[in-house]
Each structure stands twice: as C-alpha cells, then as structure tokens.
Amino acid sequence: MEHRIEVDAAELSRFAPHDHPLWWGILGAVAIEAAVVANLLTSYFYLAAQAEAWPPDGVDPPALLWPTLVLFVLPLSSLTMWWAGKGSDAGRRRQLALGVTASVGLASLALVFRSIQIAEFDIRWDEHAYGSILWAVTGFHYTHVVSAIVGTAVVAVLAWRGYFTPERQLGVVVDTLYWYFVAGVFLPIYLVLYWAPRLL
Amino acid sequence: MTDATAPDGTRGRGAGGARGHGAEPEGLPDYVRGGRDGLGEAELAELERTWQSPPGFLAWFTHVNHTNIGRRFIITSLVFFALAGLLALAMRLQLAQPLNDVLGPEAYNQVMTVHGTAMMFLFAIPAMEGAAIYLAPLMVGARDMAFPRLNAFGYYVYLIGGTVFFLSLPFGLAPDAGWFNYVPLSSKEFSAGYGIDVWTTMITFIEVSALTAAVELIVTILKLRAPGMSLDRMPIFVWAVLVMSFMILFAMPSVIVASALLMMDRLVDTAFFDAALGGSPLLWQHLFWFFGHPEVYIILVPALGIVTSIVVTFTRRSVFGYAALVLAIVGIGMVSFGLWVHHMYTTGLPLMGRSFFMAASAMIAIPSGVQVYCWIATMWGARVRFATPMLFVLGFFAIFIAGGLTGVMVASVPFDRQVHDSYFVVAHFHYVLVGGSVFPLLAGLYYWFPKATGRMMSERAGRWSCGLVFVGFNLAFFPMHQLGLEGMPRRVYTYLPETGWTLLNQLATAGSAILALGFAITLANAALSLRRGAPAGDDPWDGPTLEWATTSPPLNCNFARQAVVQSGNPVWDRRRAEVSAHVGGLRTDRRETIVTTVLDARPHAVQVLPGPTPWPFVSALVASAAFLGLIFTPWAYVLGFFAAFVTFVLWFWPRRPWRED
C-alpha cells in the first residue's frame, strides 16, 4: 500500500478563535437554553389559557419601570462586550479589560434592578400557578445573568493580567457569544412576563 | 510526497495481546513496530505516548480519550440493562400466578418504575450515546472528540446519577409512579416521602449528561471530519448520530423543565400542577411527552444507523438510496416532534387536535417504510453473509416491523381509546423498543466488538444467543397483545383467577426466562472472548468506513495519520487503489486533530486537545452533591451553583506554559 500526504496541516492555524469548535459548542449550549426558555414560556401561555383570570383576581401585573430599565441596560452591556472584543482583535489589551469590566458592572446593575422588581411582585410563588411561573421564569433568567457575570469576571481577571492576545482570545469570543444570548433572551421574557398579562 | 517503503499496516494489535491503553511504559509496544500509515516508528511511538491514558486506579479518573469514555458508557449501560432486566424477571415471576405474593403492591410499583425508568434513561439512551461516542470520531477520521473533558464530565454525571437512582431501590426510597411519573399521583399530596424526589432530581441530572454528549457529538461531526468527507460522504451511522444529537438538544430541555417544575412543586410549594391553585396536571403530560415521544426515536435513530452499517458490510455493497435514507432519518427526527399528543388521546382533547396528531403519527410510517425498502434493495440479489450481526439485524426487521404495525394501530384514536393503559400497549412498545434498539445494539456489539477489543466473539454462541433472544422475546411479549385486548390493565401487581389470563401470563413468564438466557449467553460470550477470542486483525468484516482503517483496538491517537477521503467507502477505495491518502504536519508532542469546514470538509485549522485531567471528575462530584441536596433543601441550588462554578474555573483556568505556537 502506498501512502500519500495530500493535506499538510503544519501551516494551518492552531487558534482560529472565531471559528473554533468551542464556538460551535457554546452555540449548542445556547440552543439548549433557548429550548428551555421556549418550554417555560409555552408553559406560561398554557397555564394562562387554562386559567379563569390571568393574573388571578386581585393581583396586579408586575410593574414596568424596573424591567424596562433592564431591557436597556443589558443591550448596553452587550455593546461594551462587543467593544471589548474589537479591542481584543486589535491587540489593545486595555480596551479589552475595560470593556469586559464595564459589562460586568452594567450587568450587576441590571441584577440590582431585577432584585428590586422581584421584591415588588404582587404575588408569591406558592399562592397561584401564575405566581409560580412568574417566579420560575424570573429566577431562571436571574441565574443566567449571575452565571454570565461570574464567568465574565474570570475573563476580566485574565484580561487585566494580560493573558489574552489576538490569537489566544477564544475565552473572550465564546464568553461574548454567551453574553449576547443572556442579554437577548430577556426580550421575549420581558414581553411575555410584563406585557402579555396586560394585553391578553 | 509518497512513502512507499512503509508496511501496509494490516497487523492487528489484539493479536499480540497488547492492550492499547496505558500498558506500555517505555520500550516500544509491538503495534508501533515499523510505523503505520507512512509514519515512522519513533514518531508513532511518541504520538502514542502523547495520547496515552495513564495507567493506575487514581489515573482512571483523569482519562479523557473518547475510546475510554465511550467504552465506559457502553459497559455501564449494559450493567444497568442487566439490573433492570432482573427487575423485569421479578415482575414476570409475580405475574406467573394469579394472586401471587412474590412482590407486594408497593414493591411491585417500585420495581416497575425503576425498571422502566432505568431501561429508558440509564440503558437505552446512554448505550446509544456510548456507541456514538466510541464510533463516530473513528468513523469521521478524527483523533478524539471536540471536548474530551466535557465527555468525561458527562460520563461521571451519568455514573453517579444512575447509581444513586438504582440504590434508591434497596434503601426502599425508590419512586413508584411509573416511568412517566404522572401528576397528581406524583405530587406531594399523593406521594409523600423521597421516592419521587429521587426521580425528579436524578432524571434532570442524568439528562445533563445526555445534553453534553449531544453537543459534543454535533460539534465533532460537523467540525472534526477528515478532509474530503463532505456531508454527502458521511457514513449513515454518523448521520443517524447527528440527527439523534439534535433531537436530544431539543427534546431533553422539555423533560428537564417538567421535572424541575415538579421538583419545585414538591420542595417549595409552587402550584404548577396543582389544579386547586390554578395549575394544570395536563401540563406535565404535554411537557413530558414532548420529550417522551422524540425519546423513542432518539433511541431508534442511531439503531437505524447501526443496521445500515451492518447491512452494507455484510452485503459488500454501497447502500441503496443514500440520499433517501438520510432524508428518511432526518424526516423521522422532525416528524417525531409533532406527535407527542398521541400518548394523551384519552385526556379529552378537541377533535381537531386528535385528528392532527393521528395523521402525524401515521405519517411517521412513511420515512420508516422508505428505510426498510432501501435495506431490502441493498440486500436484493447480494450474497449476504449470515454472520451473527446480520442475524440480529434480521431479528430487528421482523420484530420492529411487527411493532410498527401495532404502532399504526394505536396511532388511530378509536383503537387507542380501546387499548389505552392495557397490556396491548406494553406489547407494542416492547416490540418497538427491544426490536428497535436492543436487537441493533446486540448486532452492533457483535460487529464492533473485534474493533474495540481486537478479539472476535464466538459465532456459535452468537447464533444460539440470537435464536434464544428472538424466540424468548416473542414468547414473552406476543401474548401481551391478546392480554391487552382481553382487558388486562398494565401496571397491576396481580390479577384474579377468574379473568382467564393465567395461561398467557405463564407463556410470557416462560418467554422472559428464555430471553434472559439468550442475553446471558451474549454476556458470557463477550466476557470470555475478551481473553480467548480469535485475533481479529484490523478489519475482520471487510467494512467500508474509517474505523476499520486503524488497529483493533484503535491506537491511543486513533489514526497514525488522519485520512483524506474521496468517497463514502474510503476503506474499500483504499484497498482497490492500493493507495491511501493522509494528513501530514500534525505535531506528535501534543494532542492535535484537524478541523474542517461544515459542508465540504475543507481543512481550515487544527484543534489542540486537552490531555488527562481530574477536574471533570471533581466538577461532576460537586454537581452530584448539589443535585442530591436538592432532594432535601432548595438552598442546595444556590450552594451548588457557586461550588460548581469554582470547579469549572479550576477546570478551564489556563495553565503555564500556555499553548504557544
């Protein structure tokens, strides 16, 4: 048997942060979580359709002020993430470190708003199925913001220590991808939790 | 560049008894002698050291190679299969006589629930995942999977979750509300105690392992294929694994949400399923079956891939209707998401809904039929070799088609309402599941055992096993059709003598004993063949796909040099043309595999893969503790979240020297 070398891998990139298998892996994680959100929101409508009144009589829909603020803060934090990534691509380490730190700060602010708003809910989780699903969806997204924050905090620590280079920045790229998801998925959650009970 | 001086590398590793994983410390192991695929002896030896899984008990917890992890998945799932099978025998023993007292009603409910849940979640899915994890990277010509550490993490999650679930039985804490765990029976009001909590937490936990496997299989298949293996040259088995993985990705979240909601109902008094507080018990059924029905096809689809691989090899022909087969598999995957409600015909659905799901359920017969005809056309006029794997495939045809026919029957609303919750349904789904997954798995075991161990299994014992399993299965389950039509409800722990069901039940019990004997023969065959089997060589069956291009068992690095392929049957091409094409330029001192584009598999990068590490095991331990804690207190959620996060940081923390080029 004759053996031929038809592809030489010596010159191929070992980094490829924007097209790395891990990038695809994070996309898979995003798909799973999106499916979880879809299941939760479908359950919300299923329970709403079965209920006589939604929200139940005497319960106000959650206030709009705080969640609407979050709706703007989270995309803003995505913008700083994007800006950080631009810096990382160009090898500007300071821009990267500042950008991810700003994102962590903004998302923490969003958490504060979310916490105030949760404290203002007009119903507990154990009083009615409406309260249960409201708290569950809110808690689910809250957990995701927390995990995005702590994950990005680690990226920020590494960034300030100068670990990342334009080649070695896979961590930044995949963290950003996940961040966009956490910020983006708030839109359908916002529409369902805060507008659906007003419009249905 | 050519290197005609290298030997053709047909020497098998099993022949010399050389175990591939970790047995050789310094000197050159037999199988690297003379090099392979044009790679020199010294380089191959270094490559093998780089990819070695270190020996020793403690080092066992650091292994990440997909062959190690895949093998563990398969062996663990077979252990659970045997245990859940013993539970089935206990149930059959109880039902052999009316008013028998082998098992009391409480014990029977627990045994039945653990049997069903374990067969589905601890055996069928993990066995298919294990086969996929072991075979898919070999078939696409990769050195390992895309995320080896995640792979190991998934295994420990499965091992720990499955063990805890099974241990609940001897401790008397087992769930007892059936494998689909319907509310309100499973709500706190009607099921106090920890049994149902074990079900909800452990099922959620084990599904994490299915999800990690799915993501990892998808990325491996889409990004790590050998150069030249465009999507239309991918083996059908790999297509089936890809479809299975996407199905897991979109089906499992639904059962995770369902069991998480039930967990909260039981733990912190939410009211999702509590009708008195505006909840809906039917929501459970929708969420569960939106997962539960695709689940059946998650098990079936890879089995179809196994069947196709075997039909191709044992007829020595390219598969007939490649595109039609791929479309049929994709079609089954898609349609399977549109028919979950046929499990709920008796819950009072609107007429329109029933008609829709009846049509969708019947529609799945179309792609299934396309496949059967493709297989028939492949075999038509070929000189089929009737070795054991092929015999099990023939058994699959008979049993699965019978199960498919009753499937079309129960898909129709009026018939279903008649036999719902009767033994007819038990007969139907055992025909579909045992026929559709256990027969192909056994066929696959006989087919790939030589590849994984370097030894052949005994043909004689294989034929006996196949015959006994086939006869035993039909004797055990065919009478259940009649029992169901006569009105015997499923899940009853006993029945009265006046019902006249005794004889058929005794036939079923006798059949289950024969079935168990048939399985035991294969188990013994595998155990004995591990040491005594005839040496297999690289390619004992003359298979067309890339797993047959490496040694048996596969090298630590899978392939001395990764292949470049030009068709769907690369190994046959190679033999015909006397030429093999390879990838050069990968380093031998660290773990590298080539990355290619999604559609055409053009090479565009190299992925550097991690070596052995204990962190996935530590993470899995912490996550297990958190999930176990959730049985008792909601605070385990918060604690577990941060503890797991710490282990993930330690897992991913970059270590010096950073991977500089």
PDB file of all heavy atoms in Angstrom, chain B residues 314-334:
ATOM      1  N   PHE B 314     -22.228  -6.548   5.313  1.00  0.00           N
ATOM      2  CA  PHE B 314     -22.480  -7.974   5.100  1.00  0.00           C
ATOM      3  C   PHE B 314     -23.074  -8.277   3.734  1.00  0.00           C
ATOM      4  O   PHE B 314     -23.264  -9.432   3.396  1.00  0.00           O
ATOM      5  CB  PHE B 314     -23.319  -8.537   6.257  1.00  0.00           C
ATOM      6  CG  PHE B 314     -22.513  -8.655   7.503  1.00  0.00           C
ATOM      7  CD1 PHE B 314     -22.343  -7.569   8.338  1.00  0.00           C
ATOM      8  CD2 PHE B 314     -21.858  -9.833   7.815  1.00  0.00           C
ATOM      9  CE1 PHE B 314     -21.558  -7.656   9.469  1.00  0.00           C
ATOM     10  CE2 PHE B 314     -21.069  -9.933   8.942  1.00  0.00           C
ATOM     11  CZ  PHE B 314     -20.910  -8.835   9.775  1.00  0.00           C
ATOM     12  N   THR B 315     -23.399  -7.211   2.961  1.00  0.00           N
ATOM     13  CA  THR B 315     -23.739  -7.475   1.557  1.00  0.00           C
ATOM     14  C   THR B 315     -22.586  -7.049   0.652  1.00  0.00           C
ATOM     15  O   THR B 315     -22.630  -7.274  -0.547  1.00  0.00           O
ATOM     16  CB  THR B 315     -24.981  -6.669   1.124  1.00  0.00           C
ATOM     17  OG1 THR B 315     -24.742  -5.296   1.404  1.00  0.00           O
ATOM     18  CG2 THR B 315     -26.213  -7.110   1.876  1.00  0.00           C
ATOM     19  N   ARG B 316     -21.572  -6.400   1.232  1.00  0.00           N
ATOM     20  CA  ARG B 316     -20.425  -5.862   0.479  1.00  0.00           C
ATOM     21  C   ARG B 316     -20.888  -4.965  -0.665  1.00  0.00           C
ATOM     22  O   ARG B 316     -20.388  -5.015  -1.773  1.00  0.00           O
ATOM     23  CB  ARG B 316     -19.566  -6.993  -0.106  1.00  0.00           C
ATOM     24  CG  ARG B 316     -18.801  -7.759   0.944  1.00  0.00           C
ATOM     25  CD  ARG B 316     -17.562  -8.391   0.329  1.00  0.00           C
ATOM     26  NE  ARG B 316     -16.802  -9.168   1.279  1.00  0.00           N
ATOM     27  CZ  ARG B 316     -17.058 -10.454   1.543  1.00  0.00           C
ATOM     28  NH1 ARG B 316     -18.043 -11.082   0.928  1.00  0.00           N
ATOM     29  NH2 ARG B 316     -16.318 -11.100   2.404  1.00  0.00           N
ATOM     30  N   ARG B 317     -21.860  -4.117  -0.392  1.00  0.00           N
ATOM     31  CA  ARG B 317     -22.366  -3.193  -1.396  1.00  0.00           C
ATOM     32  C   ARG B 317     -22.537  -1.822  -0.786  1.00  0.00           C
ATOM     33  O   ARG B 317     -22.853  -1.714   0.399  1.00  0.00           O
ATOM     34  CB  ARG B 317     -23.771  -3.624  -1.838  1.00  0.00           C
ATOM     35  CG  ARG B 317     -23.807  -4.707  -2.818  1.00  0.00           C
ATOM     36  CD  ARG B 317     -25.264  -4.905  -3.113  1.00  0.00           C
ATOM     37  NE  ARG B 317     -25.447  -5.866  -4.176  1.00  0.00           N
ATOM     38  CZ  ARG B 317     -26.629  -6.155  -4.662  1.00  0.00           C
ATOM     39  NH1 ARG B 317     -27.703  -5.546  -4.184  1.00  0.00           N
ATOM     40  NH2 ARG B 317     -26.753  -7.024  -5.624  1.00  0.00           N
ATOM     41  N   SER B 318     -22.395  -0.774  -1.606  1.00  0.00           N
ATOM     42  CA  SER B 318     -22.776   0.544  -1.138  1.00  0.00           C
ATOM     43  C   SER B 318     -24.272   0.517  -0.861  1.00  0.00           C
ATOM     44  O   SER B 318     -25.017  -0.213  -1.513  1.00  0.00           O
ATOM     45  CB  SER B 318     -22.510   1.607  -2.204  1.00  0.00           C
ATOM     46  OG  SER B 318     -21.144   1.722  -2.414  1.00  0.00           O
ATOM     47  N   VAL B 319     -24.698   1.355   0.088  1.00  0.00           N
ATOM     48  CA  VAL B 319     -26.102   1.325   0.450  1.00  0.00           C
ATOM     49  C   VAL B 319     -26.950   1.837  -0.723  1.00  0.00           C
ATOM     50  O   VAL B 319     -26.537   2.730  -1.470  1.00  0.00           O
ATOM     51  CB  VAL B 319     -26.337   2.163   1.713  1.00  0.00           C
ATOM     52  CG1 VAL B 319     -26.184   3.641   1.438  1.00  0.00           C
ATOM     53  CG2 VAL B 319     -27.694   1.868   2.314  1.00  0.00           C
ATOM     54  N   PHE B 320     -28.113   1.236  -0.904  1.00  0.00           N
ATOM     55  CA  PHE B 320     -29.032   1.690  -1.943  1.00  0.00           C
ATOM     56  C   PHE B 320     -29.776   2.920  -1.421  1.00  0.00           C
ATOM     57  O   PHE B 320     -30.267   2.922  -0.305  1.00  0.00           O
ATOM     58  CB  PHE B 320     -30.030   0.580  -2.269  1.00  0.00           C
ATOM     59  CG  PHE B 320     -31.068   0.984  -3.277  1.00  0.00           C
ATOM     60  CD1 PHE B 320     -30.831   0.838  -4.633  1.00  0.00           C
ATOM     61  CD2 PHE B 320     -32.278   1.535  -2.852  1.00  0.00           C
ATOM     62  CE1 PHE B 320     -31.785   1.226  -5.550  1.00  0.00           C
ATOM     63  CE2 PHE B 320     -33.232   1.927  -3.773  1.00  0.00           C
ATOM     64  CZ  PHE B 320     -32.981   1.774  -5.136  1.00  0.00           C
ATOM     65  N   GLY B 321     -29.828   3.974  -2.238  1.00  0.00           N
ATOM     66  CA  GLY B 321     -30.642   5.137  -1.864  1.00  0.00           C
ATOM     67  C   GLY B 321     -30.074   5.925  -0.705  1.00  0.00           C
ATOM     68  O   GLY B 321     -30.775   6.192   0.269  1.00  0.00           O
ATOM     69  N   TYR B 322     -28.782   6.292  -0.773  1.00  0.00           N
ATOM     70  CA  TYR B 322     -28.144   7.032   0.307  1.00  0.00           C
ATOM     71  C   TYR B 322     -28.945   8.288   0.662  1.00  0.00           C
ATOM     72  O   TYR B 322     -29.295   8.512   1.820  1.00  0.00           O
ATOM     73  CB  TYR B 322     -26.713   7.398  -0.113  1.00  0.00           C
ATOM     74  CG  TYR B 322     -25.942   8.219   0.885  1.00  0.00           C
ATOM     75  CD1 TYR B 322     -25.137   7.614   1.823  1.00  0.00           C
ATOM     76  CD2 TYR B 322     -25.997   9.607   0.863  1.00  0.00           C
ATOM     77  CE1 TYR B 322     -24.414   8.350   2.744  1.00  0.00           C
ATOM     78  CE2 TYR B 322     -25.281  10.364   1.774  1.00  0.00           C
ATOM     79  CZ  TYR B 322     -24.495   9.735   2.712  1.00  0.00           C
ATOM     80  OH  TYR B 322     -23.785  10.477   3.620  1.00  0.00           O
ATOM     81  N   ALA B 323     -29.259   9.087  -0.361  1.00  0.00           N
ATOM     82  CA  ALA B 323     -29.971  10.346  -0.095  1.00  0.00           C
ATOM     83  C   ALA B 323     -31.343  10.078   0.518  1.00  0.00           C
ATOM     84  O   ALA B 323     -31.762  10.753   1.459  1.00  0.00           O
ATOM     85  CB  ALA B 323     -30.112  11.156  -1.378  1.00  0.00           C
ATOM     86  N   ALA B 324     -32.032   9.057   0.001  1.00  0.00           N
ATOM     87  CA  ALA B 324     -33.358   8.747   0.540  1.00  0.00           C
ATOM     88  C   ALA B 324     -33.257   8.322   2.001  1.00  0.00           C
ATOM     89  O   ALA B 324     -34.084   8.710   2.838  1.00  0.00           O
ATOM     90  CB  ALA B 324     -34.003   7.636  -0.285  1.00  0.00           C
ATOM     91  N   LEU B 325     -32.218   7.536   2.320  1.00  0.00           N
ATOM     92  CA  LEU B 325     -32.044   7.087   3.699  1.00  0.00           C
ATOM     93  C   LEU B 325     -31.776   8.269   4.629  1.00  0.00           C
ATOM     94  O   LEU B 325     -32.345   8.358   5.714  1.00  0.00           O
ATOM     95  CB  LEU B 325     -30.863   6.119   3.777  1.00  0.00           C
ATOM     96  CG  LEU B 325     -31.202   4.639   3.787  1.00  0.00           C
ATOM     97  CD1 LEU B 325     -29.928   3.805   3.767  1.00  0.00           C
ATOM     98  CD2 LEU B 325     -32.015   4.291   5.019  1.00  0.00           C
ATOM     99  N   VAL B 326     -30.869   9.159   4.179  1.00  0.00           N
ATOM    100  CA  VAL B 326     -30.548  10.318   5.018  1.00  0.00           C
ATOM    101  C   VAL B 326     -31.805  11.156   5.234  1.00  0.00           C
ATOM    102  O   VAL B 326     -32.126  11.551   6.361  1.00  0.00           O
ATOM    103  CB  VAL B 326     -29.432  11.160   4.362  1.00  0.00           C
ATOM    104  CG1 VAL B 326     -29.279  12.478   5.091  1.00  0.00           C
ATOM    105  CG2 VAL B 326     -28.124  10.393   4.372  1.00  0.00           C
ATOM    106  N   LEU B 327     -32.544  11.400   4.145  1.00  0.00           N
ATOM    107  CA  LEU B 327     -33.768  12.201   4.272  1.00  0.00           C
ATOM    108  C   LEU B 327     -34.777  11.506   5.183  1.00  0.00           C
ATOM    109  O   LEU B 327     -35.475  12.156   5.963  1.00  0.00           O
ATOM    110  CB  LEU B 327     -34.379  12.457   2.899  1.00  0.00           C
ATOM    111  CG  LEU B 327     -33.612  13.474   2.047  1.00  0.00           C
ATOM    112  CD1 LEU B 327     -34.219  13.574   0.659  1.00  0.00           C
ATOM    113  CD2 LEU B 327     -33.610  14.844   2.721  1.00  0.00           C
ATOM    114  N   ALA B 328     -34.837  10.174   5.082  1.00  0.00           N
ATOM    115  CA  ALA B 328     -35.780   9.447   5.930  1.00  0.00           C
ATOM    116  C   ALA B 328     -35.409   9.627   7.397  1.00  0.00           C
ATOM    117  O   ALA B 328     -36.273   9.847   8.254  1.00  0.00           O
ATOM    118  CB  ALA B 328     -35.787   7.963   5.557  1.00  0.00           C
ATOM    119  N   ILE B 329     -34.104   9.542   7.704  1.00  0.00           N
ATOM    120  CA  ILE B 329     -33.674   9.683   9.100  1.00  0.00           C
ATOM    121  C   ILE B 329     -33.963  11.100   9.600  1.00  0.00           C
ATOM    122  O   ILE B 329     -34.507  11.290  10.696  1.00  0.00           O
ATOM    123  CB  ILE B 329     -32.179   9.341   9.238  1.00  0.00           C
ATOM    124  CG1 ILE B 329     -31.978   7.846   9.008  1.00  0.00           C
ATOM    125  CG2 ILE B 329     -31.661   9.727  10.607  1.00  0.00           C
ATOM    126  CD1 ILE B 329     -30.537   7.413   9.000  1.00  0.00           C
ATOM    127  N   VAL B 330     -33.624  12.093   8.777  1.00  0.00           N
ATOM    128  CA  VAL B 330     -33.907  13.479   9.167  1.00  0.00           C
ATOM    129  C   VAL B 330     -35.415  13.667   9.319  1.00  0.00           C
ATOM    130  O   VAL B 330     -35.896  14.304  10.262  1.00  0.00           O
ATOM    131  CB  VAL B 330     -33.321  14.466   8.129  1.00  0.00           C
ATOM    132  CG1 VAL B 330     -33.727  15.888   8.466  1.00  0.00           C
ATOM    133  CG2 VAL B 330     -31.800  14.351   8.090  1.00  0.00           C
ATOM    134  N   GLY B 331     -36.170  13.077   8.388  1.00  0.00           N
ATOM    135  CA  GLY B 331     -37.632  13.196   8.430  1.00  0.00           C
ATOM    136  C   GLY B 331     -38.204  12.591   9.702  1.00  0.00           C
ATOM    137  O   GLY B 331     -39.066  13.195  10.354  1.00  0.00           O
ATOM    138  N   ILE B 332     -37.709  11.416  10.079  1.00  0.00           N
ATOM    139  CA  ILE B 332     -38.186  10.793  11.322  1.00  0.00           C
ATOM    140  C   ILE B 332     -37.901  11.722  12.489  1.00  0.00           C
ATOM    141  O   ILE B 332     -38.752  11.943  13.358  1.00  0.00           O
ATOM    142  CB  ILE B 332     -37.496   9.427  11.531  1.00  0.00           C
ATOM    143  CG1 ILE B 332     -38.058   8.400  10.556  1.00  0.00           C
ATOM    144  CG2 ILE B 332     -37.694   8.943  12.961  1.00  0.00           C
ATOM    145  CD1 ILE B 332     -37.392   7.046  10.632  1.00  0.00           C
ATOM    146  N   GLY B 333     -36.681  12.295  12.489  1.00  0.00           N
ATOM    147  CA  GLY B 333     -36.314  13.195  13.578  1.00  0.00           C
ATOM    148  C   GLY B 333     -37.277  14.358  13.683  1.00  0.00           C
ATOM    149  O   GLY B 333     -37.700  14.738  14.775  1.00  0.00           O
ATOM    150  N   MET B 334     -37.660  14.919  12.541  1.00  0.00           N
ATOM    151  CA  MET B 334     -38.535  16.094  12.586  1.00  0.00           C
ATOM    152  C   MET B 334     -39.965  15.714  12.948  1.00  0.00           C
ATOM    153  O   MET B 334     -40.573  16.318  13.837  1.00  0.00           O
ATOM    154  CB  MET B 334     -38.511  16.793  11.239  1.00  0.00           C
ATOM    155  CG  MET B 334     -37.202  17.494  11.001  1.00  0.00           C
ATOM    156  SD  MET B 334     -37.268  18.360   9.443  1.00  0.00           S
ATOM    157  CE  MET B 334     -36.055  19.617   9.757  1.00  0.00           C
TER     158      MET B 334
END
